Amino acid sequence: MTVHNLYIFDRNGTCLHYSEWNRKKQAGISKDEEFKLMYGMLFSIRSFVSKMSPLDMKDGFVSFQTSRYKLHYYETPTGIKIIMNTDLGVPNCRDILHQIYSTLYVEYIVKNPLCVLGDTLQSELFNSRLDSFVRALPFFSARAA
Amino acid sequence: MAIFSVYVVNKAGGLIYQYDNHVPRTEVEKTFSFPLDLVLKIHDEKLVVSFGQRDGIRVGHAVLSINGVDVNGKYTAEGKEILEYLKDPANYPVSIKFGRARLSSNEKLMLASMFHSLFAIGSQLSPEVGSSGIEMLETDAFKLHCFQTLTGIKFIVLADPRQSGIDGLLRKIYEIYSDFALKNPFYSLEMPIRCELFDQNLKSALEIAEKAGTFGPGS
């Protein structure tokens, strides 16, 4: 059980943060293009889900899975999107992503007077805390299963 | 626990079959007096609520009928513009029904093709080698399951999140497709499926799946 990578986007589609732990295959395109493709895919999935849904939705799109990985999605009302790719054994991650937002993003970025909203996150403290948080997750194992 | 609908998409991404089994449509009808405290706007040829959520009427709900008569997009059944009609205090009190708009066939075609592309992007952005496309997409209101055959046909089922046995159902729909569509000499590949036996067998398979049965060999 493992976490492959994590993206954080803001409401305009700028990728604020990206880190990877166990990624085995690169997308074959440059990082900038990959971020744009990921954001575009999620934007389309959200619009697709809101049209297809037979009932009114509270949380919207939560996750999707393929034969090899599972993508977990969490969006705040301000448009901050946190995406985590894990392997298939991981159950619903919404609370964990919410925790990443509230205990890491809000504490180390929003409350930081030197961090300009809308720029990629430069805070070393944020990066190291995020890394140790993810490594401490119960389903993270450094050697991919 | 229910299965909402089934879509079949060909390898070019076009929708070739669609069936709505049981779609719960929440509808709220209320009587209003002048002035209307909901803000309505025109979106995609329909009149939707943009502000003023109350009493079960949510943002995004469309106007379905006025005074019991179904509306036609942004016009009433007689052809008057609804927004103009609602601005006139002489027409009040008026009874308006709001609800989630039903998807038109064009919209379904467009959504199926959209999913076809999203399926492919899901495979391209994979952090693991050899990933398939999106096989299961989860939201809080429904779960979408997709099975892609070796020939590129996708069978998509929208169901309640707690419904189990959808994998077996997808394989069963593939079996029904190969028995009643592919073996039909009048059916051309990749074209819309218009075979009665396919419809009948699909309906009975959905009933069996909803009752949480499994499909035995030869059933």
Side-chain angles (χ1 to χ4, degrees):
Chain A
M1 294 240 277
T2 182
V3 176
H4 296 299
N5 49 11
L6 182 100
Y7 301 77
I8 302 183
F9 289 100
D10 75 352
R11 65 191 312 157
N12 300 320
T14 338
C15 184
L16 301 174
H17 180 83
Y18 170 72
S19 35
E20 60 184 42
W21 291 272
N22 263 325
R23 183 170 191 171
K24 305 217 196 63
K25 171 186 160 281
Q26 298 301 322
I29 45 181
S30 77
K31 270 285 172 274
D32 276 336
E33 284 180 21
E34 184 190 320
F35 296 149
K36 284 191 224 168
L37 187 61
M38 174 61 87
Y39 186 81
M41 176 180 80
L42 289 162
F43 188 86
S44 307
I45 291 183
R46 276 177 48 230
S47 145
F48 172 80
V49 156
S50 70
K51 289 221 138 148
M52 278 288 227
S53 175
L55 303 161
D56 296 316
M57 299 188 305
K58 286 192 285 71
D59 300 327
F61 163 57
V62 167
S63 69
F64 76 66
Q65 77 184 47
T66 74
S67 61
R68 289 272 193 271
Y69 76 100
K70 192 167 179 182
L71 179 142
H72 304 264
Y73 177 80
Y74 175 70
E75 183 179 0
T76 71
T78 51
I80 302 296
K81 302 169 178 54
I82 306 181
I83 293 120
M84 182 152 75
N85 287 339
T86 68
D87 77 347
L88 295 174
V90 176
N92 196 331
C93 255
R94 217 176 144 74
D95 305 318
I96 293 170
L97 296 180
H98 178 72
Q99 256 188 299
I100 292 181
Y101 175 71
S102 58
T103 56
L104 293 171
Y105 181 81
V106 167
E107 291 299 318
Y108 295 111
I109 303 294
V110 176
K111 292 185 180 175
N112 184 341
L114 298 173
C115 279
V116 180
L117 293 175
D119 281 351
T120 50
L121 306 176
Q122 313 286 6
S123 167
E124 273 308 311
L125 186 58
F126 175 76
N127 290 347
S128 62
R129 287 292 155 90
L130 179 63
D131 191 62
S132 44
F133 180 88
V134 170
R135 284 182 195 276
L137 287 172
F139 46 77
F140 182 89
S141 69
R143 245 187 45 83
Chain B
M1 294 236 286
I3 295 171
F4 301 134
S5 32
V6 176
Y7 292 73
V8 182
V9 176
N10 68 12
K11 66 173 181 261
L15 184 67
I16 57 176
Y17 184 78
Q18 198 278 320
Y19 175 63
D20 283 327
N21 183 30
H22 155 244
V23 181
R25 289 278 161 204
T26 45
E27 287 169 0
V28 178
E29 182 148 23
K30 285 187 76 63
T31 322
F32 296 93
S33 55
F34 191 79
L36 195 63
D37 52 359
L38 301 161
V39 176
L40 302 171
K41 69 170 179 160
I42 295 181
H43 176 74
D44 271 353
E45 294 305 310
K46 287 191 278 269
L47 207 57
V48 297
V49 175
S50 99
F51 186 78
Q53 204 163 276
R54 57 173 260 211
D55 290 343
I57 301 170
R58 312 265 314 264
V59 168
H61 278 194
V63 173
L64 299 175
S65 75
I66 292 192
N67 290 333
V69 178
D70 282 341
V71 305
N72 181 9
K74 53 186 196 216
Y75 301 102
T76 63
E78 289 104 45
K80 290 204 294 270
E81 270 224 35
I82 301 178
L83 280 174
E84 296 304 316
Y85 181 84
L86 290 173
K87 281 202 180 92
D88 186 0
N91 293 320
Y92 287 80
V94 68
S95 157
I96 313 179
K97 195 195 298 185
F98 291 94
R100 283 189 69 84
R102 250 160 240 118
L103 289 171
S104 68
S105 7
N106 268 344
E107 286 180 325
K108 288 179 185 165
L109 269 158
M110 196 196 66
L111 289 171
S113 310
M114 200 188 223
F115 183 75
H116 172 85
S117 316
L118 294 171
F119 182 94
I121 297 176
S123 146
Q124 190 187 5
L125 286 175
S126 164
E128 284 258 25
V129 175
S131 169
S132 74
I134 298 176
E135 288 188 342
M136 199 270 289
L137 190 137
E138 181 168 0
T139 76
D140 54 356
F142 70 96
K143 243 191 205 172
L144 181 148
H145 301 255
C146 176
F147 170 57
Q148 181 176 44
T149 70
L150 293 162
T151 51
I153 305 280
K154 292 191 230 328
F155 297 98
I156 299 163
V157 167
L158 261 75
D160 189 286
R162 295 153 298 168
Q163 179 78 37
S164 60
I166 302 290
D167 280 338
L169 173 65
L170 285 168
R171 301 282 181 287
K172 181 69 181 169
I173 297 178
Y174 186 24
E175 208 185 288
I176 295 171
Y177 167 76
S178 63
D179 281 339
F180 299 105
L182 295 182
K183 291 179 189 173
N184 182 336
F186 300 111
Y187 172 68
S188 340
L189 270 172
E190 315 289 320
M191 289 288 119
I193 301 175
R194 305 246 182 278
C195 315
E196 226 181 273
L197 283 175
F198 179 78
D199 295 332
Q200 285 170 11
N201 284 72
L202 181 69
K203 285 185 184 98
S204 53
L206 291 176
E207 273 170 28
I208 298 177
E210 279 188 323
K211 293 193 187 87
T214 43
F215 301 98
S219 66

